[in-house]
Amino acid sequence: MSDNKMINIYDIAKMSGVSIATVSRVVNNNPKVSEKTKAKVMEAIEKSGYTPNVFAQGLGLKSMRTIGILVPSIADLYMSNAVAHIEDNLHDAGYDCILHCSGYTASEKETHIQLLLNKKIDAIILVGSTYAGSEDETHNTDYIRRAAKEVPVFIINGLVDGENIYCTASNDYQASYDVTTALIESGRNKILFLTDSRSYSANQKKKGYKQALTNAGIPCDEKLMVFTENSIPTVKALLEKDVNAEFDSVFATDDGMAVGAIKYALSKGLKIPEDLSIVGYNNSTLCICSEPELSSVDNKIEKVCKDTCDRLIQILKNADNVPSQSVVACSLVKRATTNF
Amino acid sequence: MSDNKMINIYDIAKMSGVSIATVSRVVNNNPKVSEKTKAKVMEAIEKSGYTPNVFAQGLGLKSMRTIGILVPSIADLYMSNAVAHIEDNLHDAGYDCILHCSGYTASEKETHIQLLLNKKIDAIILVGSTYAGSEDETHNTDYIRRAAKEVPVFIINGLVDGENIYCTASNDYQASYDVTTALIESGRNKILFLTDSRSYSANQKKKGYKQALTNAGIPCDEKLMVFTENSIPTVKALLEKDVNAEFDSVFATDDGMAVGAIKYALSKGLKIPEDLSIVGYNNSTLCICSEPELSSVDNKIEKVCKDTCDRLIQILKNADNVPSQSVVACSLVKRATTNF
DNA sequence: TTGTAAGCGTTATCAG
DNA sequence: CTGATAACGCTTACAA
């Protein structure tokens, strides 16, 4: 195909009758160039359509103004939304983004972080609490600390301690505690907790749920804490036959599972919220799509992303006193599947 | 921060007592290296954790095995799904992906294509028919042809003619024609057509709709072809007051709008599908979330992505006879909002 | 204000 | 099979 030898800095230098150093200065907006030469060079650049070779730039340079974004799966609604916000914020600040989808296994995550690191990015953003690991494996965030030795690492929705690691998470513990408490106060005491993950965030939610139960003097029934897939039909089928305990309400860590519960109630002829109260999580489009419309926790993804990007920009400006952890409060959006 | 001078090919050469040329050969799996030296070098590489500098590699090299993906918005369900499939396919074939979100305006699109081109990518994939332009502006795909002079360009869900341009689209014209015809045959003749786009694909859908009407001898009423936003509440409100024509069915070019129509019917007490038949497009999660569940056109996004990636891989292998356009048939997934 | 020249870390072309 | 060495295109002291 068109192996048209790309035009380079020497061509521009020749065209405008200056040295390549001067061309470089013009390209990099170095102030110490006379308006006159600048104009000449600019003209040559414009009419030739010259753009600097990023690899040559990258070779000697410290910064490529590129941020690496790592996400387990971009098909996930929550993550694709987050990436959209991040991309937007960073692009406005003059940064380019490069996205990798890592999958969920530890080895995949490590591989992709390394891939990203190899591209001389200025920082890494890890989207999703899966990167913050699960409760029983205490050492499995070491790969993050290792990466943080090279560039600042930002984590969306997970908290990991370490030098050069910055975390922003929504307060899932509190939100979960509040929802569970509200459910209890509205007269429920057999609350089915559905989750599809053992991530940091999922664990926080579970803790909030348990604490609320404990505080209300209700024993935690293991049979009411169910691990499943985030799929409407799967959850529907599960509730129809595989749950060996009575329940009067459902609290799911993602809207998809909550909608599965709605479908279950509908097929059983249960009244919502009277016979079954249901609360979802993420406040996604599914909430206003379902019937009845789903009450759900808004985990403020947009704000979390904004905070992350703001701090990233601060850090790359070498600002001081940038907090290493910040927590954003969630809010419950009440719709038709709850009576509070 | 840790400005630890990165370890380079010279370090490895020194450590293993060979020249940098030999190290390079080992790194690139060049067969003409003795097993013995190879082993020595590998050991040095492994214990030092050396990875080649991509910029230095990129400088002299023709291929970086990186594909640029351009998408108007990654928050869109259809697009994020497509990107997930593409990423997956290409990663399996040993390619890295770099994602840019361009937005929908012509100037943004051009800028981002240029940005991508600057990164020595091996090919560009344009996701979404917005890149294929609208019906009345015949010249606005020139920027694609310009890009195609540098690298092969692949378009998902849009057809653009030109050297080095490869397109894969779902057959939206046919699908739309078929749905409209089915609606007519089930006794409907006032079919409201809702769309939120003037992209290539949206135009194909509109053509199919009109043709089916014409073939059935039903006049096309402009009042029944409504341009709106792809938002459930917006469409609901629109149908409640801003449509100045009777309609007995709704065909929307995206599921979101179709769900808006469901919500409208529910609030009006209309029976679905008896009083109002509704068909959506994209067969997204919304279809099985809504109540009643939504009949929708499955536009085979996964297949379209697979085809695109397969051909991309062929092209980059310099294979001959790679078709420049291919069309994938859609299928209607019948659920509860239609009686056929 | 401008030019010269020394890297930056690879790959590739020659010799050996 | 292995080693020098010349590109690759740019940035940046240092000189002028």
Side-chain angles (χ1 to χ4, degrees):
Chain A
M1 241 111 292
S2 56
D3 276 37
N4 39 10
K5 180 139 189 36
M6 278 312 261
I7 172 167
N8 66 18
I9 200 171
Y10 287 92
D11 299 320
I12 303 297
K14 205 165 295 170
M15 290 169 68
S16 40
V18 300
S19 73
I20 60 164
T22 300
V23 175
S24 176
R25 291 188 185 105
V26 171
V27 169
N28 295 292
N29 261 310
N30 186 317
K32 24 178 67 180
V33 183
S34 73
E35 283 305 322
K36 209 166 144 189
T37 30
K38 186 171 188 168
K40 269 193 308 189
V41 174
M42 283 304 262
E43 197 195 328
I45 291 181
E46 242 133 65
K47 81 167 49 162
S48 66
Y50 164 76
T51 49
N53 178 310
V54 287
F55 293 99
Q57 288 184 305
L59 239 196
L61 242 42
K62 48 260 129 230
S63 160
M64 280 273 72
R65 288 192 82 75
T66 299
I67 309 298
I69 303 178
L70 195 57
V71 79
S73 160
I74 193 65
D76 181 284
L77 208 50
Y78 174 83
M79 317 246 173
S80 59
N81 255 308
V83 172
H85 287 126
I86 293 169
E87 217 272 343
D88 208 42
N89 276 299
L90 294 182
H91 193 261
D92 287 352
Y95 287 95
D96 249 14
C97 295
I98 157 164
L99 174 81
H100 276 236
C101 306
S102 72
Y104 290 88
T105 73
S107 81
E108 288 172 324
K109 290 179 200 168
E110 293 206 39
T111 307
H112 279 276
I113 286 200
Q114 190 54 53
L115 251 30
L116 242 20
L117 251 20
N118 289 348
K119 306 239 165 169
K120 267 208 186 152
I121 50 177
D122 296 336
I124 287 190
I125 301 182
L126 267 19
V127 182
S129 66
T130 179
Y131 295 105
S134 56
E135 58 195 353
D136 38 26
E137 308 165 61
T138 50
H139 69 298
N140 70 357
T141 52
D142 283 350
Y143 72 102
I144 297 181
R145 275 177 283 275
R146 232 173 294 134
K149 291 204 170 117
E150 309 209 17
V151 292
V153 175
F154 294 80
I155 302 179
I156 297 257
N157 216 23
L159 297 182
V160 171
D161 282 319
E163 185 77 35
N164 215 20
I165 300 178
Y166 301 86
C167 306
T168 313
S170 49
N171 197 338
D172 293 321
Y173 170 83
Q174 189 64 47
S176 181
Y177 180 91
D178 291 346
V179 164
T180 308
T181 302
L183 247 14
I184 294 168
E185 286 175 352
S186 75
R188 314 287 156 165
N189 57 16
K190 294 185 291 266
I191 307 170
L192 182 64
F193 180 83
L194 293 177
T195 188
D196 67 331
S197 162
R198 304 197 201 283
S199 68
Y200 174 82
S201 144
N203 290 334
Q204 291 300 110
K205 291 170 190 169
K206 191 183 243 180
K207 276 187 197 162
Y209 164 80
K210 283 180 170 177
Q211 191 60 53
L213 250 33
T214 305
N215 283 13
I218 301 174
C220 297
D221 182 351
E222 283 295 332
K223 284 192 197 133
L224 285 174
M225 310 199 311
V226 177
F227 191 87
T228 181
E229 191 193 344
N230 184 16
S231 140
I232 297 173
T234 303
V235 170
K236 182 180 177 225
L238 177 86
L239 301 196
E240 276 166 354
K241 51 193 183 53
D242 295 328
V243 173
N244 302 313
E246 299 257 304
F247 54 93
D248 54 22
S249 50
V250 174
F251 178 31
T253 62
D254 189 282
D255 290 330
M257 289 175 283
V259 172
I262 293 180
K263 294 289 177 182
Y264 158 79
L266 257 30
S267 87
K268 281 285 190 186
L270 300 176
K271 274 193 178 160
I272 303 173
E274 295 79 0
D275 302 334
L276 192 67
S277 292
I278 304 171
V279 181
Y281 218 104
N282 285 356
N283 195 35
S284 64
T285 308
L286 297 187
C287 299
I288 58 166
C289 175
S290 72
E291 191 66 37
E293 297 188 4
L294 180 66
S295 299
S296 181
V297 174
D298 178 357
N299 53 2
K300 309 287 171 151
I301 174 79
E302 186 164 358
K303 168 96 170 102
V304 169
C305 291
K306 182 73 164 60
D307 276 15
T308 299
C309 293
D310 284 350
R311 278 148 77 217
L312 183 152
I313 291 161
Q314 292 298 311
I315 291 289
L316 293 185
K317 271 185 194 161
N318 291 312
D320 291 328
N321 302 321
V322 179
S324 70
Q325 301 203 338
S326 92
V327 170
V328 173
C330 300
S331 72
L332 175 65
V333 179
K334 297 170 188 171
R335 296 201 181 83
T337 57
T338 49
N339 57 357
F340 47 77
Chain B
M1 238 108 298
S2 56
D3 276 37
N4 38 8
K5 180 136 187 36
M6 279 313 260
I7 171 168
N8 66 19
I9 201 170
Y10 287 92
D11 299 320
I12 303 296
K14 205 165 296 171
M15 289 169 67
S16 39
V18 299
S19 73
I20 59 164
T22 300
V23 176
S24 177
R25 291 189 186 102
V26 172
V27 168
N28 294 290
N29 260 308
N30 187 317
K32 21 178 67 180
V33 183
S34 72
E35 283 304 323
K36 209 167 144 187
T37 27
K38 187 171 187 170
K40 269 194 308 188
V41 174
M42 282 305 261
E43 196 195 328
I45 290 180
E46 244 135 62
K47 80 166 51 161
S48 66
Y50 163 77
T51 49
N53 178 309
V54 287
F55 292 101
Q57 288 185 305
L59 238 197
L61 241 42
K62 49 263 131 226
S63 161
M64 283 269 72
R65 287 192 82 77
T66 299
I67 309 297
I69 303 178
L70 195 56
V71 79
S73 160
I74 193 66
D76 180 284
L77 207 52
Y78 174 82
M79 316 244 174
S80 59
N81 255 308
V83 171
H85 288 125
I86 293 169
E87 218 273 341
D88 209 41
N89 276 298
L90 293 183
H91 194 261
D92 287 352
Y95 288 95
D96 248 15
C97 294
I98 157 164
L99 174 80
H100 277 235
C101 306
S102 72
Y104 289 88
T105 72
S107 81
E108 289 172 323
K109 291 180 200 167
E110 292 206 40
T111 306
H112 279 276
I113 286 201
Q114 190 54 53
L115 250 30
L116 241 21
L117 252 19
N118 290 163
K119 307 240 165 168
K120 270 212 185 148
I121 50 175
D122 296 335
I124 287 189
I125 302 182
L126 268 19
V127 181
S129 67
T130 179
Y131 296 105
S134 56
E135 59 194 352
D136 38 25
E137 310 165 59
T138 50
H139 68 298
N140 70 356
T141 52
D142 283 349
Y143 72 103
I144 297 181
R145 273 177 284 275
R146 233 172 293 134
K149 291 205 169 115
E150 309 211 14
V151 293
V153 175
F154 294 80
I155 303 179
I156 298 256
N157 217 21
L159 298 182
V160 171
D161 283 319
E163 186 76 35
N164 215 18
I165 299 178
Y166 301 86
C167 306
T168 313
S170 50
N171 198 339
D172 293 320
Y173 171 84
Q174 189 65 46
S176 181
Y177 179 91
D178 291 346
V179 165
T180 308
T181 301
L183 247 13
I184 294 168
E185 285 175 353
S186 75
R188 314 288 157 165
N189 57 17
K190 293 184 292 261
I191 307 169
L192 183 63
F193 181 83
L194 293 177
T195 189
D196 68 330
S197 161
R198 303 196 200 286
S199 69
Y200 174 83
S201 143
N203 290 333
Q204 291 300 109
K205 292 170 189 168
K206 191 183 243 180
K207 276 188 197 161
Y209 164 80
K210 282 180 171 178
Q211 190 62 52
L213 250 33
T214 305
N215 283 14
I218 301 174
C220 297
D221 182 350
E222 284 294 330
K223 284 192 197 134
L224 284 175
M225 310 198 309
V226 177
F227 191 88
T228 181
E229 192 193 344
N230 185 16
S231 142
I232 297 173
T234 302
V235 169
K236 183 182 177 220
L238 177 86
L239 301 196
E240 277 167 353
K241 50 191 182 56
D242 294 328
V243 173
N244 302 313
E246 299 256 305
F247 53 93
D248 55 21
S249 50
V250 174
F251 178 31
T253 62
D254 189 282
D255 289 331
M257 290 175 282
V259 172
I262 293 180
K263 294 291 177 180
Y264 157 80
L266 257 31
S267 86
K268 281 284 190 186
L270 299 176
K271 273 195 179 156
I272 302 172
E274 295 80 1
D275 302 333
L276 192 67
S277 292
I278 303 172
V279 180
Y281 218 104
N282 286 355
N283 196 34
S284 65
T285 308
L286 298 187
C287 299
I288 59 167
C289 174
S290 71
E291 191 64 38
E293 297 187 4
L294 180 65
S295 298
S296 181
V297 174
D298 178 356
N299 52 4
K300 309 286 170 147
I301 174 81
E302 185 163 359
K303 168 95 170 103
V304 169
C305 291
K306 181 72 166 58
D307 276 16
T308 299
C309 293
D310 283 350
R311 279 148 77 216
L312 184 152
I313 291 160
Q314 291 299 311
I315 290 289
L316 294 186
K317 270 186 195 159
N318 290 313
D320 290 326
N321 302 322
V322 178
S324 69
Q325 302 202 337
S326 92
V327 170
V328 173
C330 301
S331 72
L332 175 66
V333 180
K334 297 169 187 170
R335 296 200 181 84
T337 57
T338 47
N339 56 359
F340 48 77

